[in-house]
Amino acid sequence: MVARWFDAPGNRMVTGAPRERWGCPQIWYDMGTAPEEARYWRPVAVVFDCDGLLVDTEPCWTVAETELFARRGLSFGPEQKAMLIGRTIPAACADLTVLFDEPGRAPALEAELLGLVSDVLASSAQAMPGAHDVVAAAAARVPVAVASNSPRSLLDAALRRAGLVFPVSLCADDVIHAKPAPDMYLAACARLGVPARRCVAFEDSMTGLRSALAAGVPCVGVPSLPHVELPADLVLASLRDPFLIDWIRSW
């Protein structure tokens, strides 16, 4: 296994001893045994993303997005998915008006996509493997929150469907600027009463990662799309990684 460290969010890779940013080592982890340096840092709070990280909603979104494209005679594949994943519905639909050549129809597209996603999510969304154990282990040791780019109705439906409960919950409706802006993480840290640099974020997408890093929150990346590299502080293949539970239980 090769461990690699980044000297700034998404910037050039450096080798040798881990650099310090916000008081924790920056570690790129690709299966195997996590470097010992990862065990040294102890966050005092956790903020989890939801879609694609805790709840397997991305297949629900994909079904809805595929139908949205099909209604217009268009195919939906990895390129289109990468364009939409992790974004708010308004931001995604603003770009879709251009792609679909439907100027001025962003609100109508938002309503159409929200309706499609709601129907699929209510019947199909499931908790991601390891999600319950990780959330329970973290909540037993530090304050936890969930912060999602979904609107309130979809976030609550996804958490309810997955059987996950959070004392602090933020969605796209709660901030002026959603991810990738730092607002949501700054708001979550404020609600938890902890400095951003002492918190840790869990994210599955580049959009969420950029938000966390912009807020100064160290981030654990668990990519939801195959072959996607996230320049997070610690990157794991799954929430079921045995290192993760051991690390959390050491806090």
Side-chain angles (χ1 to χ4, degrees):
M1 186 205 72
V2 177
R4 297 176 288 178
W5 295 271
F6 290 82
D7 65 351
N11 287 352
R12 65 183 179 85
M13 185 178 70
V14 297
T15 57
R19 302 297 179 97
E20 293 293 323
R21 175 165 59 84
W22 312 315
C24 73
Q26 297 168 267
I27 298 169
W28 178 274
Y29 170 47
D30 186 14
M31 301 302 290
T33 303
E36 284 301 314
E37 291 88 347
R39 304 177 188 273
Y40 297 161
W41 186 65
R42 303 288 181 265
V44 298
V46 181
V47 181
F48 293 96
D49 178 47
C50 180
D51 295 323
L53 178 84
L54 296 180
V55 186
D56 194 13
T57 57
E58 287 307 332
C60 303
W61 281 95
T62 299
V63 169
E65 290 156 350
T66 300
E67 173 61 20
L68 189 72
F69 275 63
R71 290 178 179 182
R72 290 155 177 84
L74 300 173
S75 60
F76 185 82
E79 182 180 352
Q80 291 74 28
K81 185 65 180 179
M83 179 182 74
L84 301 177
I85 189 169
R87 304 182 68 194
T88 64
I89 290 181
C93 288
D95 285 349
L96 289 178
T97 60
V98 178
L99 185 64
F100 294 162
D101 192 22
E102 299 181 17
R105 295 200 70 249
L109 283 175
E110 292 175 29
E112 185 178 1
L113 180 56
L114 182 60
L116 289 169
V117 174
S118 297
D119 290 343
V120 181
L121 190 150
S123 62
S124 304
Q126 300 292 331
M128 293 290 284
H132 283 106
D133 291 341
V134 168
V135 172
R141 285 154 180 80
V142 297
V144 298
V146 64
S148 170
N149 256 2
S150 289
R152 174 58 61 189
S153 60
L154 292 188
L155 175 58
D156 288 349
L159 294 175
R160 184 167 55 250
R161 171 80 185 175
L164 294 166
V165 178
F166 285 87
V168 175
S169 172
L170 289 99
C171 67
D173 305 330
D174 297 326
V175 293
I176 296 176
H177 302 293
K179 303 174 187 178
D183 303 37
M184 194 172 298
Y185 274 102
L186 293 175
C189 291
R191 292 272 300 274
L192 293 171
V194 300
R197 67 187 302 272
R198 299 297 308 283
C199 186
V200 66
F202 281 75
E203 282 285 355
D204 71 297
S205 72
M206 186 60 73
T207 299
L209 173 63
R210 287 172 178 154
S211 176
L213 298 187
V217 179
C219 188
V220 175
V222 188
S224 58
L225 293 181
H227 314 302
V228 171
E229 290 192 351
L230 297 178
D233 296 283
L234 172 64
V235 178
L236 304 174
S238 166
L239 292 176
R240 298 180 69 180
D241 190 295
F243 162 76
L244 181 56
I245 289 294
D246 288 346
W247 179 49
I248 293 173
R249 287 174 177 167
S250 73
W251 296 352

